[in-house]
Each structure stands twice: as structure tokens, then as C-alpha cells.
């Protein structure tokens, strides 16, 4: 393998469901990235994820100047030299793409965040959802199992819906029962899936108010772009989405690595 | 990695005395329960303790027992036994873990003091100033143990305290006297009551002064220390012994301030804790804040045992005022002003609200107060979800990440 990458900076975001690695060159350009299931061995998945991102960047481990880890498993990354919370890294990553005052809405596999930044990218406030699957990727995963619809088909189904079946419950288990009831009533599956998306959006929007500019990130919108259209319609705002919405935290961590940020451990 | 390190910190020297103090407190009561040498009243934490002391009772506080069950993490296993009796997992987890502890015949007193069970009450005395749960809690024991239940019903959500409210509460307290005389079999002794009030007033002054030492920068002690050292002010107010304890603690804290001693080495940030402690996680939270160079300098909780309106010359009225002017009894406006005054005194950089799942009465984040205070004071706020005793309602990982992110946010300023 040739190695023409020069100095690189690595961000590792070990989320509860997926691990993401982003590699930036010294110009802050994203030259390598990778996403894998976190599984049960965070260290192992972080290493595998790093290797494939290095491959994509055409770089070697010795090119790494510094690595910062973030996310639920941030303390399980032996090759990182510092940690930052996912809240900090999402903020940093989003501000890199959209340098303005904004509200960041991150819809992750197992949690959501709403973060507000001022025009200089400083955090004004943040909220994480409570310990519940409502409004997260886990909710959609559970529903895809119940409805026996592959997760990757949901976006197209929702987009093709003619109507929307609204769900009333907060709780994932209650919603599952409700969904089965709707099917028995003969409601159409696409309309139900759109209702599921709506439920995710409602859970997130009730966490905090939004400012003028809104950025949405996270795995759920990476795989379900139609959900963003729905948010635009509901909030009557143009919603900004970074190129790789699932990588925002990892990119933020890589930027901190470049700025020598993160708590040293 | 950046996992907080176990730290060796300079202990508060008075802690040794405190340990003995608490042991003596429980042994005295255990002995009285066994021998019948003195009557025992169970009292709510901000109930009419001075009257009980003045009438010769030893006073036991089930909430203190709840906190011990929480701190020893016995609570989470015991709560379901009360749930199964129809006491919802959504109500006070002091109540549910304490009832569970009774049902299972398990108490932290055994491990700590080799005492088999909590002392049997001769009377149960509540004040609803803090919540209705205490009344239901004591009512359960009243039925179970066939013991008389008496109490004071306080007005709620009070702005300016009005005369009619004080008159009402004062007469409710006075009405307790004949009922309590029936239990003691002795005549009420006004002089003794006044003496207890005087002691309690002094305890409050001393305890308040101890807490105010945390206004120093750096602070000589933390909220986590104070949750331990508040015990005599809670369980022994109205006695000389409680005053002796704070006469010992206060100069030690004052000396720390003189020496510029920082309870959190390299103190960089100062926070206010609003809401209940998370008893089973005090140590790990304290360690986390220490590693983040953050001192939690003040709290509504520890301030709640300052009754500086007590006045032996107006015994019933002043008790009514002292137990009605408490933070927990008051309206939102009062509470916001109270925290604002604390902000001016303790100069903290942020407020942490603990939303305790089973205690709405001490979860002041639920009606927009964090947002309003953040705007008013120009400081950030954080809410963490948890509970006083039910650790099933607490996600340690989420709470710690939130706290870490909050400190990152303070550092960006
Ligand atoms: S105030 Fe809260 S914690 Fe205290 S007894 Fe009442 S419900 Fe329980």
C-alpha cells in the first residue's frame, strides 16, 4: 500500500448501536470514514472501524497525529489520546459544516440530543432524551421487526404513503400494540410507517424549542432522508443536513484531535 | 482514559465525632424501645420536632432511614415489596423502600450498629408541609402497628405568608399537645418546650453558618460533604448535643477557609444542586465532580434544615412560621428568588436540577424553572433524571455524560 496521506486526525464515535470513524487530513478534509455495528466488544469494533477508514484514506496508523474518542463507549478506545462527550463532538462537527447559530437535533440509535449553539459555535444548552427508546432509532428498529418490514424499506414506504396513521402512545411497547391494532383495522402499511416517522419527530420536537436554523444529524436521518422532509413540513423551516449525518460526532472528535482538545486520560 | 480516579482527600476531622454521634443516637433509641424507658415519636423530617423533644420524646425520622436505605443501595431491592401492596413505583421511594424494609425485616442499622430493627413508635407525627406522601406513609404504619397518628396540614404553594395561615398552623401544632400528653402520660411543660426551641434555633444558626462557609472561593466543603454532616440538624434538632456538634464543625470549616483549603483541588467551576440527593450515587458523583474540578457549593436540600424563625418567646407561632416559610412549601416566584439570592451569595456558574422520578415535590425542573432561571441569571442549567432511592430510575451513564458535557460547556465560555 502506498502511503501518501501525510498527517491525519482521527475521530472515533462509539455509539450504543454503531461505531463511526472519521479521518481528516490537515486541511480538515474528510478523507476516510467507516461505520460498523458497535456490538458487544467496543474496543474491537473501534479497531475494525479504524482499519477500514484508514484503508479508505490510504493511510497508515503512523500517519495519525492524534485521535479523540466520543460516544457511549468513548472510554473503551485504547488508541485514542483524549475523550470528549458526544454532545461536544456533535456541536463541533455541525459547526464545521454550518458555522452559524443553530439548533442541532441528533437522532441516534438509542438516544437523541438537542443542542443549541451561538454564532461562535459555543454551546448555549443541550438536552438528551430520557432513558427510553421513544423517538430514537431503536423505536423504528422494534417496529420494523413487529411489522416484518426490513428497516431499509421504511423510508420509501413512508414517502409513498397517501395518508398518515397517527399513533397516540409515548411508549415503544404500547405503540407496538397500537400498530398491530391499526393493521387489524385494515390501515395501510405505508401510512402506518409514515405515522411511525411522525412519532419519532414528535418525541424529538417536544424535547426543546427550535431556533431559526436547524441541523439534523444521526443514523436515523442518514437512512431515512424522507424523515427530514417531514420535519421541514412540520416545522416550516429549511432543515440543514451535513453530507454524512451519521459521522458528525466522529468528525467533531477529529476536529478536537486537531485542536488538541479532549480530556487526556 | 479519563475515568475519574479514586482520590484521597483530606477528610473533615469532625466526621469521627459525627460517626459516634449517630451511633449514640440510634443506641439510645434502641435501648428506649426495648426497655420502655422513654417514649418514641416518629416524625417527618420537617415535622414539629421541637414540640416532641420538649415533651420528652426520643425522635426517630423514617426519612433518615430512607436515606440510609438509599445510601447503602438496599432500597432498590426493597421498593418492589411495597409496590406489590399497591404503593405505586411512582410515589415517594423513601416511603416504598422503608415499607419494603419493614416487610422484609432488613435495615441498614444492623450492618452499621448491630441493631436488629428500627425502634417501635409510640406515636406517629407528620407535617404535610413537604408533601402528602409522608401522611400516607405514616398512616400505613399506624394501621400496621396500631399506633396513634397525628399531624399538621400545611397550606401549599404559598407566596407571601399570611397571618391566617400562621394562626392556623400554630393552632394545629398546639392541638397536638393533648394528644401527645395522652401518649406520654405527663403534663406538657412549657419551659421544657421553650428550651428545645432555643436549642433548635441555635442548631439552625450554626448549621446555616456552616453552609455559608461554602461561599468562600475556593469552597472548603461540598454539597456531598454537607449531605452527611447535616444529619444532627435533621435528627437531633432541639437538643444540646446537636449544637455541640456544629460548634465543633463550624470552626473546622472556618479554619479551612483561612487556610485557603479547596475541597475540590484546583476548583474551576462552582455549581448549585437543586433537588434531592441521589443517595446511592453520592460517592461516584462526588468523585466525578472532583475529577472535573467542579465543586457543588450549595443546594436547596441542605438549606432546608435552617429554621431561624424559631423563637422561644413565641413558641407555637414561631414554629408555625419556621415550618411554613420553607422552600418546599412556597410558590414558584419565591423559589426563583431564593435561588437567585443563593446565586448572589455562592457565586456558582451553573445549576444542576435533579428530576427525581418519585418526588415531584423536590423536582423543581418540571414547570420551566430551569429555563427561567437560566435566562434571569445568565448561567447554564442542566437537568439530570434520577431518583433519591430508586436506582431503577437512574441511568448512570447518561447522567455522567450529561454532567461531563455540562462542564465542557462551562469551559467553552
Ligand atoms: S418530599 Fe419527596 S422525598 Fe420527601 S417524603 Fe415527600 S415525596 Fe418523599
Amino acid at each position: 500500500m502506498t502511503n501518501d496521506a501525510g498527517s491525519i486526525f482521527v475521530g472515533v464515535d462509539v455509539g450504543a448501536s454503531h461505531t463511526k470513524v472519521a479521518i481528516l487530513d490537515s486541511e480538515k478534509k474528510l478523507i476516510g470514514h467507516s461505520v460498523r455495528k458497535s456490538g458487544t466488544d467496543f474496543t474491537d469494533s473501534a479497531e475494525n472501524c479504524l482499519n477500514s477508514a484508514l484503508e479508505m484514506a490510504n493511510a497508515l496508523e503512523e500517519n495519525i497525529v492524534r485521535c479523540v474518542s466520543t460516544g457511549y463507549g468513548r472510554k473503551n478506545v485504547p488508541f485514542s489520546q483524549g475523550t470528549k462527550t458526544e454532545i461536544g463532538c456533535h456541536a463541533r462537527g455541525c459547526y464545521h459544516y454550518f458555522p452559524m447559530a443553530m439548533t442541532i437535533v441528533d437522532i441516534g440509535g438509542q438516544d437523541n440530543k438537542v443542542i443549541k449553539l451561538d454564532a461562535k459555535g459555543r454551546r448555549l444548552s443541550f438536552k438528551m432524551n430520557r432513558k427510553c427508546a421513544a423517538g430514537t432509532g431503536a423505536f423504528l428498529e422494534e417496529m420494523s421487526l413487529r411489522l416484518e418490514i426490513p428497516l431499509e424499506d421504511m423510508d420509501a414506504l413512508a414517502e409513498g404513503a397517501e395518508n398518515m396513521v397517527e399513533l397516540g402512545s409515548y411508549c415503544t411497547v404500547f405503540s407496538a400494540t397500537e400498530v398491530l391494532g391499526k393493521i387489524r383495522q385494515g390501515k395501510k402499511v405505508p401510512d402506518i410507517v409514515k405515522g411511525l416517522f411522525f412519532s419519532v419527530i414528535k418525541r424529538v420536537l417536544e424535547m426543546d424549542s427550535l431556533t431559526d436554523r436547524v441541523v439534523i444529524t444521526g443514523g436515523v436521518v442518514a437512512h431515512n432522508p424522507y424523515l427530514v422532509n417531514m420535519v421541514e413540513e412540520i416545522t416550516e423551516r429549511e432543515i440543514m443536513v451535513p453530507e454524512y449525518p451519521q459521522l458528525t460526532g466522529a468528525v467533531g472528535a477529529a476536529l478536537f484531535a486537531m485542536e488538541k482538545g479532549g480530556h487526556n486520560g | 482514559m479519563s475515568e475519574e480516579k479514586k482520590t484521597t482527600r483530606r477528610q473533615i476531622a469532625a466526621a469521627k465525632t459525627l460517626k459516634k454521634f449517630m451511633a449514640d443516637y440510634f443506641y439510645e433509641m434502641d435501648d428506649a424501645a426495648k426497655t420502655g424507658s422513654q417514649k418514641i415519636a416518629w416524625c417527618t423530617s420537617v415535622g414539629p420536632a421541637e414540640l416532641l423533644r420538649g415533651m420528652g420524646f426520643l425522635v426517630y425520622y423514617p426519612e433518615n432511614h430512607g436515606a440510609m436505605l438509599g445510601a447503602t443501595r438496599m432500597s432498590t431491592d426493597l421498593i418492589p415489596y411495597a409496590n406489590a401492596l399497591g404503593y405505586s413505583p411512582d410515589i415517594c421511594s423513601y416511603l416504598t423502600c422503608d415499607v419494603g424494609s419493614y416487610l422484609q425485616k432488613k435495615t441498614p442499622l444492623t450492618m452499621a450498629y448491630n441493631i436488629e430493627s428500627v425502634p417501635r413508635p409510640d406515636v406517629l407525627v407528620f407535617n404535610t408541609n413537604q408533601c402528602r406522601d409522608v401522611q400516607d406513609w405514616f398512616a400505613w404504619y399506624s394501621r400496621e402497628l396500631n399506633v396513634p397518628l397525628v399531624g399538621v396540614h400545611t397550606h401549599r404553594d404559598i407566596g407571601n405568608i399570611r397571618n391566617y395561615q400562621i394562626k392556623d398552623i400554630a393552632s394545629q401544632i398546639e392541638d397536638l399537645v393533648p394528644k401527645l400528653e395522652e401518649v406520654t402520660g405527663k403534663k406538657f411543660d412549657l419551659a421544657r418546650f421553650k428550651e428545645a426551641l432555643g436549642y433548635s434555633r441555635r442548631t439552625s444558626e450554626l448549621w446555616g453558618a456552616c453552609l455559608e462557609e461554602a461561599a468562600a472561593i475556593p469552597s472548603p466543603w461540598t454539597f456531598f460533604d454537607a449531605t452527611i454532616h447535616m444529619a444532627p440538624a435533621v435528627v437531633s434538632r432541639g437538643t444540646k448535643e446537636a449544637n455541640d456538634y456544629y460548634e465543633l464543625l463550624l470552626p473546622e470549616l472556618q479554619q479551612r477557609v483561612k487556610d485557603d483549603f479547596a475541597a475540590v483541588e484546583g476548583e474551576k467551576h462552582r455549581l448549585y444542586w437543586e433537588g434531592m440527593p441521589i443517595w446511592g450515587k453520592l460517592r461516584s458523583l462526588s468523585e466525578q465532580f472532583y475529577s472535573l474540578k467542579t465543586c457543588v457549593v450549595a443546594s436547596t436540600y441542605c438549606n432546608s434544615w435552617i429554621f431561624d424563625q424559631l423563637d422561644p418567646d413565641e413558641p407555637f407561632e414561631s414554629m408555625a412560621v419556621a415550618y411554613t416559610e420553607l422552600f418546599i412549601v412556597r410558590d414558584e416566584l419565591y423559589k426563583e428568588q431564593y435561588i437567585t439570592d443563593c446565586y448572589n451569595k455562592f457565586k456558582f456558574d451553573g445549576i444542576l436540577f435533579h428530576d427525581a422520578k418519585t418526588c415531584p415535590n423536590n423536582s423543581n425542573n418540571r414547570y420551566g424553572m430551569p429555563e427561567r432561571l437560566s435566562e434571569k441569571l445568565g448561567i447554564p442549567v442542566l437537568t439530570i433524571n434520577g431518583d433519591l432511592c430508586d436506582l431503577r430510575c437512574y441511568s448512570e451513564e447518561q447522567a455522567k455524560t450529561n454532567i461531563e458535557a455540562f462542564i465542557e460547556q462551562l469551559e467553552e465560555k
Side-chain angles (χ1 to χ4, degrees):
Chain A
M1 194 207 287
T2 58
N3 171 25
D4 51 13
S7 298
I8 59 170
F9 302 87
V10 176
V12 186
D13 178 1
V14 186
S17 61
H18 285 84
T19 295
K20 289 79 68 176
V21 167
I23 299 181
L24 301 182
D25 67 12
S26 44
E27 308 286 294
K28 300 188 181 170
K29 210 172 116 223
L30 183 66
I31 56 168
H33 53 88
S34 169
V35 178
R36 297 199 168 211
K37 272 209 170 348
S38 296
T40 48
D41 187 341
F42 288 171
T43 306
D44 203 44
S45 14
E47 261 159 18
N48 289 334
C49 213
L50 174 68
N51 289 336
S52 44
L54 282 170
E55 204 171 304
M56 177 176 172
N58 206 10
L60 297 171
E61 265 186 55
E62 53 252 38
N63 296 109
I64 303 175
V65 179
R66 190 172 153 84
C67 169
V68 165
S69 55
T70 184
Y72 176 67
R74 63 188 174 281
K75 289 166 186 163
N76 299 87
V77 182
F79 53 85
S80 94
Q81 286 97 31
T83 62
K84 272 265 177 184
T85 65
E86 48 270 45
I87 294 139
C89 289
H90 272 87
R92 186 69 192 84
C94 283
Y95 192 73
H96 173 68
Y97 291 111
F98 307 106
M100 58 184 75
M102 65 184 131
T103 303
I104 299 162
V105 175
D106 177 68
I107 310 177
Q110 304 216 349
D111 62 42
N112 299 325
K113 313 168 199 44
V114 178
I115 310 166
K116 289 185 179 165
L117 301 187
D118 69 9
K120 290 190 172 146
R122 287 176 305 205
R123 272 172 275 174
L124 296 172
S125 68
F126 67 88
K127 283 184 183 162
M128 267 173 104
N129 72 330
R130 311 212 217 164
K131 27 190 195 291
C132 169
T136 71
F139 171 75
L140 292 179
E141 275 176 39
E142 174 67 21
M143 293 302 154
S144 95
L145 282 174
R146 296 295 183 111
L147 289 168
E148 295 180 351
I149 301 169
L151 203 51
E152 52 278 14
D153 292 355
M154 282 190 140
D155 194 56
L157 282 170
E159 192 166 7
E162 284 165 15
N163 289 302
M164 185 172 78
V165 174
E166 268 200 56
L167 299 169
S169 172
Y170 251 161
C171 158
T172 303
V173 176
F174 289 176
S175 296
T177 322
E178 211 180 331
V179 162
L180 296 179
K182 301 285 182 200
I183 288 180
R184 271 202 306 278
Q185 289 164 20
K187 302 283 184 208
K188 293 197 188 119
V189 169
D191 296 355
I192 294 175
V193 175
K194 187 167 179 179
L196 295 173
F197 278 24
F198 186 61
S199 161
V200 168
I201 296 166
K202 271 196 299 186
R203 295 292 84 80
V204 176
L205 292 183
E206 67 205 12
M207 283 172 66
D208 206 342
S209 58
L210 301 180
T211 49
D212 280 353
R213 313 304 306 265
V214 177
V215 179
I216 297 196
T217 64
V220 170
V221 294
H223 299 295
N224 302 289
Y226 180 64
L227 197 137
V228 178
N229 300 353
M230 287 177 68
V231 177
E232 289 193 319
E233 216 171 283
I234 294 163
T235 63
E236 298 175 344
R237 280 176 174 79
E238 187 197 333
I239 304 287
M240 301 178 285
V241 182
E243 190 181 357
Y244 299 101
Q246 203 172 1
L247 290 178
T248 327
V251 168
L255 289 164
F256 279 125
M258 196 175 279
E259 293 152 10
K260 284 224 162 63
H263 304 284
N264 288 311
Chain B
M1 309 305 302
S2 67
E3 194 65 64
E4 58 270 14
K5 301 178 182 71
K6 289 272 168 285
T7 44
T8 38
R9 289 186 243 165
R10 178 148 42 114
Q11 296 301 317
I12 293 173
K16 270 205 190 108
T17 309
L18 176 62
K19 221 172 157 191
K20 180 164 183 311
F21 183 100
M22 292 310 290
D24 290 347
Y25 166 77
F26 284 115
Y27 289 138
E28 182 184 29
M29 222 155 15
D30 188 46
D31 184 65
K34 282 177 180 148
T35 61
S37 59
Q38 231 174 318
K39 296 286 181 192
I40 293 173
W42 285 17
C43 183
T44 52
S45 67
V46 281
E50 295 74 11
L51 180 65
L52 298 171
R53 290 282 180 191
M55 292 184 74
F57 285 99
L58 291 178
V59 189
Y60 168 83
Y61 296 86
E63 283 155 81
N64 174 241
H65 190 238
M68 289 174 81
L69 287 161
T72 52
R73 291 188 223 140
M74 295 168 74
S75 50
T76 304
D77 292 337
L78 294 170
I79 289 165
Y81 294 101
N83 299 155
L85 288 188
Y87 285 79
S88 160
D90 291 335
I91 64 164
C92 176
S93 60
Y94 274 166
L95 183 168
T96 49
C97 76
D98 182 63
V99 168
S101 141
Y102 172 86
L103 295 169
Q104 289 301 299
K105 300 191 174 19
K106 283 186 184 152
T107 167
L109 297 181
T110 310
M111 184 71 134
Y113 308 112
N114 204 18
I115 291 174
E116 203 182 324
S117 68
V118 303
R120 195 181 192 286
D122 296 294
V123 64
L124 302 153
V125 189
F126 64 84
N127 187 337
T128 60
N129 50 1
Q130 54 188 102
C131 64
R132 67 159 277 176
D133 295 55
V134 287
Q135 184 186 347
D136 290 275
W137 183 358
F138 282 25
W140 188 84
Y141 280 109
S142 175
R143 288 188 297 269
E144 177 71 19
L145 302 171
N146 197 20
V147 169
L149 172 70
V150 296
V152 176
H153 295 267
T154 295
H155 308 248
R156 308 283 319 159
D157 198 25
I158 302 178
N160 289 328
I161 299 175
R162 314 283 286 275
N163 252 340
Y164 74 88
Q165 291 162 327
I166 295 309
K167 273 203 185 122
D168 173 30
I169 302 299
S171 69
Q172 286 193 52
I173 299 174
E174 208 165 343
D175 285 349
L176 296 176
V177 171
K179 297 173 194 159
L180 295 170
E181 279 175 335
E182 265 176 49
V183 179
T184 58
K186 289 183 199 144
K187 258 277 31 62
F188 171 65
D189 176 348
L190 183 64
R192 213 169 151 200
F193 173 36
K194 287 184 171 187
E195 184 188 47
L197 270 167
Y199 284 140
S200 190
R201 161 78 184 251
R202 182 72 188 136
T203 302
S204 282
E205 286 164 357
L206 288 163
W207 174 237
C210 288
L211 291 172
E212 288 203 5
E213 290 301 317
I217 300 178
S219 171
W221 68 332
T222 73
F223 159 68
F224 302 100
D225 299 323
T227 58
I228 311 293
H229 290 270
M230 68 193 271
V234 179
V235 302
S236 288
R237 62 180 191 275
T239 69
K240 180 176 174 302
E241 289 75 14
N243 295 350
D244 293 346
Y245 180 67
Y246 294 111
E247 301 275 13
L248 179 79
L249 178 63
L250 181 60
E252 184 181 350
L253 296 173
Q254 287 166 334
Q255 188 59 45
R256 280 185 165 205
V257 172
K258 270 194 207 122
D259 298 344
D260 249 341
F261 175 81
V264 170
E265 205 183 317
E267 177 190 294
K268 267 170 76 184
H269 309 290
R270 297 162 67 84
L271 296 184
Y272 185 84
W273 182 286
E274 167 42 49
M276 291 297 290
I278 303 170
W279 288 110
K281 293 292 169 183
L282 282 185
R283 175 180 289 266
S284 71
L285 284 166
S286 156
E287 295 286 344
Q288 186 187 16
F289 282 113
Y290 190 89
S291 77
L292 295 167
K293 300 201 182 310
T294 300
C295 186
V296 182
V297 292
S299 68
T300 311
Y301 184 74
C302 291
N303 288 353
S304 297
W305 280 268
I306 300 173
F307 311 102
D308 47 13
Q309 293 298 321
L310 294 176
D311 176 1
D313 290 335
E314 304 261 5
F316 290 106
E317 291 72 19
S318 74
M319 253 183 100
V321 175
Y323 286 103
T324 300
E325 68 161 22
L326 291 179
F327 183 92
I328 199 165
V329 189
R330 311 303 288 279
D331 68 2
E332 294 285 288
L333 266 180
Y334 175 91
K335 288 178 178 174
E336 284 171 32
Q337 188 53 47
Y338 182 92
I339 295 175
T340 304
D341 293 344
C342 286
Y343 170 74
N344 291 329
K345 188 179 290 171
F346 291 98
K347 312 220 168 0
F348 38 81
D349 322 303
I351 306 175
L352 190 151
F353 284 80
H354 169 208
D355 185 337
K357 177 82 168 78
T358 71
C359 179
N361 316 290
N362 278 303
S363 297
N364 285 298
N365 60 300
R366 296 185 184 179
Y367 297 89
M369 192 190 292
E371 287 76 5
R372 287 194 298 275
L373 276 177
S374 176
E375 198 178 324
K376 178 177 179 193
L377 304 177
I379 57 173
V381 292
L382 172 70
T383 295
I384 60 169
N385 293 106
D387 192 53
L388 42 146
C389 283
D390 191 345
L391 291 179
R392 297 173 301 180
C393 306
Y394 179 64
S395 159
E396 181 148 48
E397 185 52 43
Q398 275 212 17
K400 288 197 158 179
T401 297
N402 272 287
I403 290 167
E404 200 177 322
F406 191 60
I407 304 305
E408 284 176 0
Q409 181 181 336
L410 290 177
E411 283 178 355
E412 282 176 7
K413 276 197 126 186

